Amino acid sequence: MGKFGSGVENVYHSARGGIKEFTKKHKVLLVCLLFVVLVSVLTGVFTAIKNVDNYSSVWFDNYNIMNFYNSEIGTWELFFNRFGSYLICLGVVFICSFNIFLSPFSVVVLVIRSYLVGLNCCFMFLLFGLSGMLTTIIIILPIQLINVLLLIAFCSLMFVRARNKQKYGSYCIGGEKKPFVLFLIFLVLFTLVNVVETLLLFIFSSKIILVI
């Protein structure tokens, strides 16, 4: 047990040190991505306010973004919908890391997801009143912010990978296998967050479920 605890502690300190080093080294990139996210979220909020009386024109049914009192779509079905959504996003970002000229498409993925967070959280405030407000503040907004931060981290790692390939002729991040390992790690992290969101929505019997 002692060895296991020591191993976990070593992994924690190693990961913490790696995060600090990466953040310090690539703070300009991270700040730029955070700015992109902020602008995208605010754009979604303003779009929702502007179209509150005509929300069907900006309603993303294909994404199963909101289900209000929908008894036909179960919680676990929404879980797998969310899983498919972020699996596609991670896959696109990962593929874009093979070439620096594809990297802007990673930013497009980040923009779309951030825009949807602002758009739909604002719609829940405006259209569903107290129920939407409580569900958003307690569950959906914190979860989606975590997802956005994870996506920023993954995008930045994959952008650095593409830049290293362009600049040095190699990925310089542990060879070819490590980027795929990073993909799997982030997939697991997104899945854990998805599980937490699903359980919270089930426990609190929320009437509004966000899927982006």
Side-chain angles (χ1 to χ4, degrees), residues 145-172:
L145 288 178
I146 292 173
N147 283 337
V148 169
L149 290 175
L150 286 175
L151 189 57
I152 288 175
F154 188 67
C155 284
S156 61
L157 286 168
M158 293 299 102
F159 178 81
V160 170
R161 175 179 186 260
R163 189 185 64 179
N164 288 338
K165 174 63 176 177
Q166 178 74 13
K167 188 174 182 180
Y168 303 111
S170 64
Y171 296 115
C172 303

Side-chain angles (χ1 to χ4, degrees), residues 2 36 39 56 60 65 75-76 78 86 98 105 112 117 189 191:
V36 168
V39 172
S56 60
F60 292 84
I65 292 172
T75 301
W76 287 110
L78 289 168
Y86 59 72
F98 286 97
F105 291 102
I112 292 173
V117 170
L189 291 174
T191 302

